[in-house]
Amino acid sequence: MIKVGIIGATGYAGGELVRILMGHKEAEIVWYGSRSYIDQKYADVYRNMFQIVDAKCMDDNIEALADQVDVIFTATPQGFLASVINENILGKTKIVDLSADFRIKDVKVYEKWYGIEHKSPQFIEEAVYGLCEVNRDKVKGARLIANPGCYTTCSILTAYPLAKEGIIDMRTLIVDAKSGTSGAGRGAKVPNLFCEVNENMKAYGVASHRHTPEIEEQLGYASGENVTISFTPHLVPMNRGILATEYATLKKDVTGEEVKAIYDKYYADEKFVRVLGEGVCPETKWVEGSNYVDIGFKLDPRTNRIVMMGAIDNLVKGAAGQAVQNMNLLFGLPESEGLELVPMFP
Amino acid sequence: MIKVGIIGATGYAGGELVRILMGHKEAEIVWYGSRSYIDQKYADVYRNMFQIVDAKCMDDNIEALADQVDVIFTATPQGFLASVINENILGKTKIVDLSADFRIKDVKVYEKWYGIEHKSPQFIEEAVYGLCEVNRDKVKGARLIANPGCYTTCSILTAYPLAKEGIIDMRTLIVDAKSGTSGAGRGAKVPNLFCEVNENMKAYGVASHRHTPEIEEQLGYASGENVTISFTPHLVPMNRGILATEYATLKKDVTGEEVKAIYDKYYADEKFVRVLGEGVCPETKWVEGSNYVDIGFKLDPRTNRIVMMGAIDNLVKGAAGQAVQNMNLLFGLPESEGLELVPMFP
Amino acid sequence: MIKVGIIGATGYAGGELVRILMGHKEAEIVWYGSRSYIDQKYADVYRNMFQIVDAKCMDDNIEALADQVDVIFTATPQGFLASVINENILGKTKIVDLSADFRIKDVKVYEKWYGIEHKSPQFIEEAVYGLCEVNRDKVKGARLIANPGCYTTCSILTAYPLAKEGIIDMRTLIVDAKSGTSGAGRGAKVPNLFCEVNENMKAYGVASHRHTPEIEEQLGYASGENVTISFTPHLVPMNRGILATEYATLKKDVTGEEVKAIYDKYYADEKFVRVLGEGVCPETKWVEGSNYVDIGFKLDPRTNRIVMMGAIDNLVKGAAGQAVQNMNLLFGLPESEGLELVPMFP
Amino acid sequence: MIKVGIIGATGYAGGELVRILMGHKEAEIVWYGSRSYIDQKYADVYRNMFQIVDAKCMDDNIEALADQVDVIFTATPQGFLASVINENILGKTKIVDLSADFRIKDVKVYEKWYGIEHKSPQFIEEAVYGLCEVNRDKVKGARLIANPGCYTTCSILTAYPLAKEGIIDMRTLIVDAKSGTSGAGRGAKVPNLFCEVNENMKAYGVASHRHTPEIEEQLGYASGENVTISFTPHLVPMNRGILATEYATLKKDVTGEEVKAIYDKYYADEKFVRVLGEGVCPETKWVEGSNYVDIGFKLDPRTNRIVMMGAIDNLVKGAAGQAVQNMNLLFGLPESEGLELVPMFP
């Protein structure tokens, strides 16, 4: 039985980790870390866990935690893990970090987009970017996993095969992404109030959202080019779900069958990626509560562009589900253990 | 492995049966009956099932179906099962009926509230009302289970212990219930359109809703009296969830602790009933996607009344989950097999 | 032109006052008071007012304000007005108070339910409870109007004619009310976040909500009895709207026509009360954005009860609209000036 | 007093025409045409109009109607007006057509995208495309107005000044648009049911939506080039609102101030266009219920692109409001008569 500690267990991503791990046969949570709710019963913070989780919330003492567990999930604000990680901790336990601290290889890029100094750049190189479908083998031997962001997971996987195969002109790539509100976290801020979000829609972080360099770096590896994209996130009045609509000019004449074949080449054996046929538009509801990425596309001969579309549940494949998928790889378990979550509809 | 057939697999309750049974270790669905979608792939009707269910939809030939399965779930309109059931079918297979056909023991009451003639009154007596927490032992030996309605499951379980113990004056019982829109089914009707339901709330079926006599009959058994209640359902702009707020005058002086003790007497060992403390109001979101019933209450000395509150997911404990719970009892399986569903939040 | 000052202009009720007064021909706002946003442009707080309102937010100095305006609306927390009001202010300007400070005649009842000391009990007697349909004549000559609460407006008007005519047994009255989330205000609190409210429903303040004594006092005047009711508010995932479902035992044998006639007797000439026929259930969406109260009812001979239902927009008839209606009466204007708001659907 | 007839008065756009015209001082509706509800009271179809509209629904006999009114609004399916219009009708009355029949000058383009034969191509040339901010002078003298589509109004006005001034490379223009569900109409179809739309998001009509050629034609006039764009509409779980996010490569080095100045050049005197500052993202809620278009933008030097964003209420500026604006121009009334609608928030 893998012993699990969570730091940041009372945010939405942390709560989803708990939900998923309750159904995992080989893991048990022994530390529900939450600085805001120390000593309160976890089930008093998330009442859905009443009579399921009896534990109280613990602090975020990662040194103490490292002695007790096999793996730590950090679902914490940017900068936290970088400020506390050290060789001693990594010698005792694996870490799957749901924050952005170790996602970006170029520390200057990190510091520029996140506006904070990176306190542990020495661990950046060894950290493995935990996009399992792309980096599966590297994940298996890692000590420190940088779990991808929600927008980035969806955006990268949707374009990855076509970027890798050189089908699309990377200079033309535009990612217009839409997210449910759980992505904004559980902080008590006026813009996240029900009455402000409900019956409303807006873009935010235009040309400046911090997931941009992460997408660029990964698609840069895939395409072998420096990639600079337009990325625009939007807030949608729903709890869960990300839909990424991506536009790129085609570099080659391709048919829908050929594009489908390329997607299948990369994803046919992937448990959690479902390639829909050409012209089938993914819907966020079809993946809700599950670890799936649904991908569709449409060729547009009029503009010589392709429109790629991907949908995920931001809290599952976009956060906690992928984190558990990484944990499974780290410990040699079946990759889908605990993740056989059937999407809930309606 | 229990072989399962579903008639009405493409309604919302049918879809939820499929979702739940996908996670059931001892059951497999061999017949996805849907008159409206015969020969279409089930996953084309419910895209969340893409790459999970490969089968096509079948017709509703219950005779043919009975030869192939151990249990049939009928998630069909009122009157369907009564019009086709016979001794031959019941000799071959168990039936869990999610419609109202066999819920009410007095056929005249059924015919009055449902406005149709009952075609098979000879099976009413043997049918067991499948409210597991109340009728567990009877369920185990049955051939035909009348799976309770969604409002009724929530309304009955919320009041049951106090009715049974004679704490409340049954003549004063008022049930004000609120339901998400999936309870209205998947029929294409103007009042169920997004724009008609969203940002809106209304009562409907006031003093005439067909779940009324079902609640009255069951609480009549519990209290040993003829029970006549006010029951008002309301439509709420959310997909899932029923909240029942119930009012009754107290017959005895009781404290909150005493009331809590009565609830615990009946439900402490019940896996799927969670009794919250006095003054804790259940929320539908805390049970979403799960088979739980959450129950809270508040004494009001000013009016000498008690306010009881219950919350369920109408598609799980109010339909498909309870149906699977009944199936588990019928086949001697652990009652919670396939039903260890952790509520999803947010 | 009536000069208007608002204290608390950046809460939801304050914002709605601004929206309504923009369309009022005889009034102009000269003071947008908002302690939280002093010196910020009002249109930066509420972007819908961009290029409509140019003013900046002012402080809550009611003495200075009283010198400049004909009427002050206080959309402030409980206790604010009572702590600052004095004879000097009332000598200069009218006040319409949207808080609860002067709604309840018995100061002990106020202090018990609100848990604060009343700082100006000397003005309670002269304050007029501004439920225009009931107290129109008194409003006209008042200096200080206690604008009714949102739940109370809906609850009282729905039952008022039957209480007044002695048709219903007041001891049996139960009010089960459901409200959109704008009623919870614009404070940044976790329970009001989108993800906490959306797809969720709950009761709150059971047997203890502060609108209870207000309803009791007013229906007590109507019926000539001491009235003690069960009142249960619920939070619904929508922005606007209150639906009150009210239950009472009938004291007399009445037909639906007779009940309709009683409602018509009181409301046929009321511009803002629309009496629907028997069995027609009001929906909150039908009154959204308007000052209407829609009222329906259903007799239930089985239980000898009547179910009364009322719907309002909590921010209009439940707050700002009614406040403007009171202002119109205070200044001898047509009662519906600025309030000819057609409900918006969908 | 202008006498108005509406054909298609019971669709959502028709209902919004009624709502707006109720507040119009110079117009009165004398014909509520609705084939589906002939002889039923209009207020029984839209209960919000109870005690506001007393009329019954009439048929769609446009010949009879033309004798009685000064202007006809046709809020009808594609092809209806083209199949009935004739010189005789146009001799008697003005027509504002909310369908697409006369929006596109090239009949072949119309027939290709709409898949139907155009029955009255002889009136296409004289029809004026009723985008008031662009074609104001032409509208004034017209007999037949082609009222723009909802997506198109938002998409065109957002890009128009920059297209006109040659700032952006029209070959790179991508419009990613998101719409509330009222744009899908009031037809009873499964995909428009509450439970299918709520908590869900999807693209549809990718590279094939019928508003595409309309945008291309108008922006072609503006830029003086043939324009071919990528246009992707999305369905969002809200009632009202369109947000268009538009991407284009810059042809010139421009600063944010220069771009703002260009927008101001075209829109500073436009009552219904509000130009927000650079980096201010419009939100659909800020224009809800009003005739405003809110426009913001952001320069992205990294990609040499500009992101333009526009928000409207699809039923007002995207349909009924703009239709009334056209009517005002046709009859020499103040352009904003009946349209001084303050956006409703929340």
Side-chain angles (χ1 to χ4, degrees):
Chain A
M1 207 68 166
I2 298 162
K3 285 193 159 53
V4 173
I6 302 172
I7 301 184
T10 55
Y12 289 143
E16 191 70 355
L17 270 171
V18 175
R19 179 178 80 94
I20 292 172
L21 290 172
M22 285 300 113
H24 195 290
K25 288 191 214 76
E26 306 289 338
E28 71 176 321
I29 306 172
V30 300
W31 184 294
Y32 294 82
S34 172
R35 201 188 295 181
S36 314
Y37 296 97
I38 293 176
D39 284 339
Q40 293 186 43
K41 291 198 72 171
Y42 187 79
D44 285 344
V45 182
Y46 282 123
R47 289 258 170 207
N48 55 322
M49 293 299 171
F50 184 60
Q51 295 184 357
I52 300 174
V53 174
D54 278 334
K56 290 189 172 176
C57 293
M58 311 282 283
D59 62 25
D60 55 3
N61 184 338
I62 195 169
E63 297 277 0
L65 174 53
D67 287 330
Q68 302 179 31
V69 295
D70 303 300
V71 61
I72 296 172
F73 294 100
T74 45
T76 44
Q78 318 308 333
F80 171 81
L81 184 60
S83 72
V84 297
I85 196 170
N86 59 44
E87 188 58 41
N88 180 45
I89 292 168
L90 280 175
K92 294 181 190 167
T93 181
K94 309 266 188 184
I95 297 182
V96 179
D97 179 27
L98 283 77
S99 87
D101 284 6
F102 295 96
R103 289 182 194 155
I104 294 172
K105 291 299 171 198
D106 185 336
V107 69
K108 285 181 191 148
V109 172
Y110 173 90
E111 293 185 340
K112 178 184 156 206
W113 287 80
Y114 285 86
I116 51 175
E117 184 195 350
H118 199 294
K119 297 291 178 57
S120 298
Q122 69 275 22
F123 294 108
I124 292 179
E125 196 186 336
E126 97 158 85
V128 172
Y129 189 73
L131 192 60
C132 307
E133 286 75 13
V134 171
N135 287 339
R136 181 170 289 118
D137 290 338
K138 288 185 193 159
V139 167
K140 288 177 181 172
R143 298 194 299 176
L144 170 58
I145 301 292
N147 205 58
C150 52
Y151 280 123
T152 52
T153 296
C154 189
S155 301
I156 295 167
L157 290 177
T158 299
Y160 181 79
L162 304 190
K164 184 90 178 173
E165 296 285 322
I167 300 297
I168 52 177
D169 181 346
M170 298 306 290
R171 297 166 303 176
T172 66
L173 184 64
I174 289 172
V175 178
D176 189 285
K178 301 91 179 166
S179 176
T181 304
S182 58
R186 212 188 188 200
K189 297 170 187 166
V190 167
N192 295 342
L193 291 178
F194 181 83
C195 288
E196 310 283 319
V197 172
N198 189 40
E199 294 297 289
N200 198 3
M201 185 154 190
K202 65 174 175 187
Y204 66 99
V206 182
S208 62
H209 192 277
R210 304 191 291 192
H211 284 183
T212 311
E214 192 180 329
I215 302 170
E216 291 176 345
E217 187 175 303
Q218 295 299 323
L219 290 180
Y221 298 146
S223 64
E225 304 171 33
N226 279 326
V227 172
T228 307
I229 65 165
S230 291
F231 171 69
T232 311
H234 296 77
L235 193 66
V236 184
M238 56 187 194
N239 284 354
R240 289 169 178 247
I242 283 178
L243 182 70
T245 311
E246 312 192 13
Y247 304 85
T249 300
L250 292 162
K251 286 166 71 177
K252 305 183 181 173
D253 248 7
V254 284
T255 64
E257 288 73 30
E258 288 165 338
V259 174
K260 176 71 160 57
I262 291 169
Y263 275 113
D264 284 340
K265 172 179 167 188
Y266 287 83
Y267 295 145
D269 295 336
E270 288 295 343
K271 170 90 181 179
F272 295 121
V273 184
R274 303 192 296 190
V275 180
L276 312 172
E278 190 194 2
V280 182
C281 299
E283 308 187 16
T284 58
K285 193 70 181 152
W286 296 346
V287 297
E288 187 177 331
S290 83
N291 202 46
Y292 288 113
V293 188
D294 276 8
I295 298 175
F297 68 92
K298 187 81 164 67
L299 291 169
D300 184 10
R302 297 173 66 251
T303 59
N304 193 35
R305 289 194 191 104
I306 186 169
V307 184
M308 301 157 278
M309 295 162 280
I312 63 167
D313 183 321
N314 57 303
L315 292 179
V316 188
K317 185 62 180 173
Q322 185 148 259
V324 171
Q325 193 179 352
N326 276 304
M327 181 191 80
N328 289 339
L329 288 172
L330 286 172
F331 291 90
L333 301 170
E335 193 169 330
S336 62
E337 172 53 38
L339 297 169
E340 309 264 6
L341 304 158
V342 181
M344 196 165 86
F345 186 95
Chain B
M1 208 68 167
I2 297 163
K3 286 193 159 53
V4 173
I6 302 172
I7 300 184
T10 55
Y12 289 142
E16 191 70 355
L17 271 171
V18 174
R19 179 178 81 93
I20 292 172
L21 289 172
M22 286 299 111
H24 195 289
K25 288 192 214 76
E26 307 288 338
E28 71 176 321
I29 306 173
V30 299
W31 184 294
Y32 295 82
S34 173
R35 203 188 295 181
S36 313
Y37 295 97
I38 293 178
D39 285 338
Q40 293 186 42
K41 291 198 72 170
Y42 187 77
D44 284 345
V45 181
Y46 282 122
R47 290 256 170 209
N48 55 323
M49 293 301 170
F50 185 60
Q51 295 184 357
I52 300 174
V53 174
D54 279 333
K56 291 190 172 175
C57 294
M58 311 282 283
D59 63 25
D60 56 1
N61 183 339
I62 196 170
E63 297 277 359
L65 175 53
D67 288 329
Q68 302 178 30
V69 297
D70 302 302
V71 61
I72 297 172
F73 293 100
T74 45
T76 43
Q78 318 308 334
F80 171 81
L81 183 60
S83 72
V84 297
I85 196 170
N86 59 45
E87 189 59 39
N88 180 45
I89 292 168
L90 281 175
K92 295 179 190 169
T93 183
K94 308 264 188 186
I95 298 180
V96 178
D97 179 29
L98 283 77
S99 87
D101 284 6
F102 295 96
R103 290 181 193 154
I104 294 173
K105 290 299 172 197
D106 185 335
V107 69
K108 284 181 191 149
V109 171
Y110 174 90
E111 293 185 339
K112 178 184 157 206
W113 287 80
Y114 285 86
I116 50 174
E117 185 194 349
H118 199 296
K119 295 295 177 56
S120 297
Q122 71 275 21
F123 294 109
I124 293 179
E125 197 185 337
E126 96 159 86
V128 172
Y129 189 74
L131 192 59
C132 307
E133 286 75 12
V134 171
N135 287 338
R136 181 169 289 118
D137 289 338
K138 287 186 193 159
V139 168
K140 288 176 182 172
R143 299 194 299 176
L144 171 58
I145 301 291
N147 205 58
C150 52
Y151 281 123
T152 51
T153 296
C154 190
S155 301
I156 295 166
L157 289 176
T158 299
Y160 181 80
L162 305 190
K164 184 88 177 175
E165 296 285 322
I167 300 297
I168 53 177
D169 181 345
M170 298 306 290
R171 296 166 304 176
T172 66
L173 183 64
I174 288 172
V175 177
D176 189 286
K178 301 90 178 167
S179 175
T181 304
S182 58
R186 214 188 186 199
K189 297 172 188 164
V190 167
N192 295 342
L193 291 177
F194 181 82
C195 288
E196 310 283 319
V197 172
N198 188 40
E199 293 298 287
N200 197 4
M201 185 154 189
K202 65 174 175 186
Y204 66 99
V206 181
S208 60
H209 192 277
R210 302 189 294 191
H211 284 183
T212 311
E214 193 180 328
I215 301 170
E216 290 175 346
E217 189 175 302
Q218 295 300 322
L219 290 180
Y221 298 146
S223 65
E225 302 172 33
N226 279 325
V227 171
T228 306
I229 66 165
S230 291
F231 172 70
T232 311
H234 297 76
L235 194 66
V236 184
M238 57 187 195
N239 285 352
R240 289 170 178 247
I242 284 178
L243 182 69
T245 313
E246 312 192 13
Y247 303 85
T249 300
L250 294 162
K251 286 164 71 176
K252 305 182 180 172
D253 249 6
V254 283
T255 64
E257 289 72 29
E258 288 166 337
V259 173
K260 176 70 160 57
I262 291 169
Y263 274 114
D264 284 341
K265 172 179 166 189
Y266 287 83
Y267 295 144
D269 295 334
E270 288 295 341
K271 170 91 181 179
F272 296 120
V273 184
R274 304 192 294 190
V275 180
L276 313 171
E278 191 194 1
V280 182
C281 298
E283 307 188 15
T284 58
K285 194 72 180 150
W286 296 345
V287 297
E288 188 177 328
S290 83
N291 202 46
Y292 289 113
V293 187
D294 276 8
I295 298 175
F297 67 92
K298 188 80 163 69
L299 291 170
D300 184 9
R302 295 172 67 252
T303 60
N304 194 36
R305 290 196 190 103
I306 185 168
V307 183
M308 301 158 276
M309 295 163 281
I312 63 167
D313 183 321
N314 57 301
L315 292 179
V316 189
K317 185 62 180 173
Q322 184 148 261
V324 171
Q325 193 178 353
N326 275 304
M327 181 192 80
N328 289 340
L329 288 173
L330 286 172
F331 291 89
L333 301 170
E335 193 168 331
S336 63
E337 172 53 38
L339 296 170
E340 309 264 4
L341 304 158
V342 180
M344 196 164 87
F345 185 95
Chain C
M1 209 66 166
I2 299 163
K3 286 193 160 53
V4 173
I6 302 173
I7 301 184
T10 53
Y12 288 142
E16 191 70 354
L17 271 170
V18 175
R19 179 178 80 94
I20 292 172
L21 290 171
M22 287 299 112
H24 195 290
K25 288 193 214 72
E26 307 289 339
E28 71 176 322
I29 306 172
V30 300
W31 184 295
Y32 295 81
S34 172
R35 199 188 296 181
S36 315
Y37 296 97
I38 293 177
D39 285 338
Q40 292 186 44
K41 293 199 69 168
Y42 187 77
D44 285 343
V45 181
Y46 283 122
R47 290 257 171 207
N48 55 322
M49 293 301 172
F50 185 60
Q51 295 184 358
I52 300 174
V53 174
D54 279 334
K56 290 190 174 175
C57 293
M58 311 282 284
D59 63 24
D60 56 1
N61 183 338
I62 197 169
E63 297 278 359
L65 174 53
D67 287 330
Q68 302 178 31
V69 296
D70 302 300
V71 62
I72 297 172
F73 293 100
T74 44
T76 42
Q78 318 308 333
F80 171 82
L81 184 60
S83 72
V84 297
I85 196 170
N86 59 45
E87 189 57 41
N88 180 44
I89 292 169
L90 279 175
K92 296 180 189 167
T93 182
K94 308 265 188 184
I95 297 180
V96 179
D97 179 28
L98 282 78
S99 87
D101 284 6
F102 296 96
R103 290 181 193 154
I104 294 173
K105 290 299 171 198
D106 185 335
V107 69
K108 284 181 190 146
V109 171
Y110 173 89
E111 294 186 337
K112 177 185 156 206
W113 286 79
Y114 285 86
I116 51 175
E117 185 195 349
H118 199 295
K119 296 293 179 56
S120 297
Q122 70 275 23
F123 294 108
I124 292 178
E125 196 184 337
E126 97 159 86
V128 172
Y129 189 74
L131 191 60
C132 307
E133 286 74 10
V134 171
N135 286 339
R136 180 169 289 117
D137 289 339
K138 288 186 193 159
V139 167
K140 288 176 182 172
R143 299 193 298 176
L144 171 58
I145 301 292
N147 205 57
C150 51
Y151 281 123
T152 52
T153 296
C154 190
S155 301
I156 295 166
L157 289 176
T158 299
Y160 180 79
L162 304 190
K164 185 87 176 174
E165 296 286 322
I167 301 297
I168 51 177
D169 181 346
M170 298 306 289
R171 296 166 303 176
T172 65
L173 183 63
I174 289 172
V175 177
D176 188 286
K178 299 92 180 167
S179 175
T181 304
S182 58
R186 213 188 188 200
K189 296 172 189 165
V190 167
N192 295 341
L193 291 177
F194 181 83
C195 288
E196 310 283 319
V197 172
N198 187 40
E199 294 296 289
N200 198 4
M201 184 156 192
K202 66 175 174 187
Y204 65 99
V206 182
S208 61
H209 192 276
R210 303 189 294 191
H211 283 183
T212 311
E214 193 180 329
I215 302 170
E216 290 175 346
E217 187 175 303
Q218 295 299 323
L219 290 180
Y221 298 146
S223 64
E225 303 172 34
N226 279 324
V227 171
T228 308
I229 65 164
S230 291
F231 172 69
T232 311
H234 297 76
L235 193 66
V236 184
M238 58 187 195
N239 284 353
R240 288 169 179 249
I242 284 178
L243 181 70
T245 311
E246 312 192 12
Y247 303 85
T249 300
L250 294 162
K251 286 165 71 177
K252 302 181 182 175
D253 248 6
V254 284
T255 65
E257 290 71 30
E258 288 166 338
V259 173
K260 176 70 161 57
I262 291 169
Y263 274 113
D264 284 341
K265 172 178 167 188
Y266 287 83
Y267 294 144
D269 295 334
E270 288 295 343
K271 171 88 181 181
F272 295 121
V273 185
R274 304 192 295 191
V275 179
L276 311 173
E278 191 195 1
V280 182
C281 298
E283 307 187 16
T284 58
K285 193 72 182 149
W286 296 346
V287 298
E288 187 176 329
S290 84
N291 203 46
Y292 289 113
V293 188
D294 276 8
I295 299 174
F297 67 92
K298 187 80 162 70
L299 291 170
D300 183 10
R302 297 173 65 252
T303 60
N304 194 36
R305 292 195 188 103
I306 186 170
V307 183
M308 301 158 276
M309 296 162 281
I312 63 167
D313 184 320
N314 57 302
L315 292 179
V316 190
K317 185 61 179 173
Q322 185 148 262
V324 171
Q325 193 179 353
N326 275 305
M327 181 191 80
N328 288 339
L329 288 172
L330 286 172
F331 291 89
L333 301 171
E335 192 169 330
S336 62
E337 174 52 38
L339 296 169
E340 309 264 4
L341 304 159
V342 180
M344 196 164 86
F345 185 95
Chain D
M1 208 66 167
I2 298 163
K3 286 193 159 51
V4 173
I6 301 172
I7 301 185
T10 53
Y12 288 143
E16 192 70 354
L17 271 170
V18 175
R19 179 177 82 94
I20 292 171
L21 290 172
M22 286 300 111
H24 194 290
K25 288 192 213 74
E26 306 290 339
E28 71 175 322
I29 305 172
V30 300
W31 185 294
Y32 295 82
S34 173
R35 200 188 295 181
S36 314
Y37 295 97
I38 295 176
D39 286 338
Q40 293 187 42
K41 292 198 71 169
Y42 188 77
D44 285 344
V45 181
Y46 283 122
R47 290 257 171 207
N48 54 322
M49 293 301 172
F50 185 60
Q51 296 185 356
I52 300 173
V53 175
D54 278 334
K56 290 189 173 175
C57 294
M58 311 281 284
D59 62 25
D60 55 2
N61 184 339
I62 195 170
E63 296 278 0
L65 174 53
D67 287 330
Q68 301 179 31
V69 296
D70 302 301
V71 61
I72 296 172
F73 293 100
T74 44
T76 43
Q78 318 307 335
F80 172 81
L81 184 59
S83 71
V84 297
I85 196 171
N86 58 45
E87 189 57 41
N88 180 45
I89 292 169
L90 280 174
K92 295 180 188 166
T93 183
K94 308 264 189 186
I95 297 181
V96 179
D97 179 28
L98 283 78
S99 87
D101 283 6
F102 296 95
R103 289 180 194 156
I104 294 173
K105 290 299 173 198
D106 185 335
V107 69
K108 284 180 192 149
V109 171
Y110 174 90
E111 293 185 338
K112 178 185 154 202
W113 287 79
Y114 285 86
I116 51 175
E117 185 195 350
H118 198 295
K119 296 294 179 55
S120 297
Q122 70 276 21
F123 294 108
I124 292 178
E125 196 185 338
E126 96 159 85
V128 172
Y129 189 73
L131 192 60
C132 306
E133 285 74 12
V134 171
N135 287 338
R136 180 170 289 117
D137 290 338
K138 289 186 192 158
V139 167
K140 288 177 182 172
R143 299 193 299 176
L144 171 58
I145 300 291
N147 205 60
C150 52
Y151 281 123
T152 52
T153 296
C154 190
S155 301
I156 295 166
L157 290 175
T158 299
Y160 181 80
L162 304 190
K164 185 89 177 174
E165 295 285 323
I167 300 297
I168 52 177
D169 181 346
M170 298 306 289
R171 296 167 302 177
T172 66
L173 183 63
I174 288 172
V175 178
D176 188 287
K178 299 92 179 165
S179 175
T181 303
S182 58
R186 214 189 188 200
K189 297 170 189 165
V190 167
N192 295 342
L193 292 178
F194 181 83
C195 288
E196 310 283 318
V197 172
N198 188 41
E199 294 296 288
N200 198 3
M201 183 153 192
K202 66 174 175 188
Y204 66 99
V206 181
S208 62
H209 191 276
R210 304 190 293 191
H211 283 182
T212 310
E214 193 179 329
I215 302 170
E216 290 175 346
E217 188 175 302
Q218 295 299 322
L219 289 180
Y221 298 146
S223 64
E225 304 171 34
N226 278 325
V227 172
T228 307
I229 65 165
S230 291
F231 171 69
T232 310
H234 297 76
L235 192 67
V236 184
M238 58 188 194
N239 284 353
R240 290 168 178 247
I242 283 178
L243 181 70
T245 312
E246 312 192 13
Y247 303 85
T249 300
L250 293 162
K251 287 165 70 177
K252 304 181 179 174
D253 249 6
V254 284
T255 65
E257 289 72 29
E258 288 166 337
V259 174
K260 177 69 160 58
I262 292 170
Y263 274 113
D264 284 341
K265 172 178 166 189
Y266 287 83
Y267 295 143
D269 296 335
E270 289 295 342
K271 170 89 181 179
F272 296 121
V273 184
R274 304 193 294 192
V275 180
L276 312 173
E278 191 195 1
V280 182
C281 299
E283 307 188 15
T284 59
K285 193 73 182 150
W286 295 345
V287 297
E288 187 176 328
S290 84
N291 202 46
Y292 289 113
V293 187
D294 276 10
I295 298 175
F297 67 92
K298 187 79 165 66
L299 291 169
D300 183 10
R302 296 173 66 252
T303 60
N304 194 35
R305 293 198 188 100
I306 184 168
V307 184
M308 301 158 277
M309 295 162 283
I312 63 167
D313 183 321
N314 57 303
L315 292 179
V316 189
K317 185 62 179 172
Q322 184 148 260
V324 171
Q325 194 179 353
N326 276 305
M327 182 191 79
N328 289 340
L329 288 172
L330 287 173
F331 291 89
L333 301 171
E335 193 169 330
S336 62
E337 173 52 38
L339 296 170
E340 309 264 5
L341 303 158
V342 180
M344 195 164 87
F345 185 96

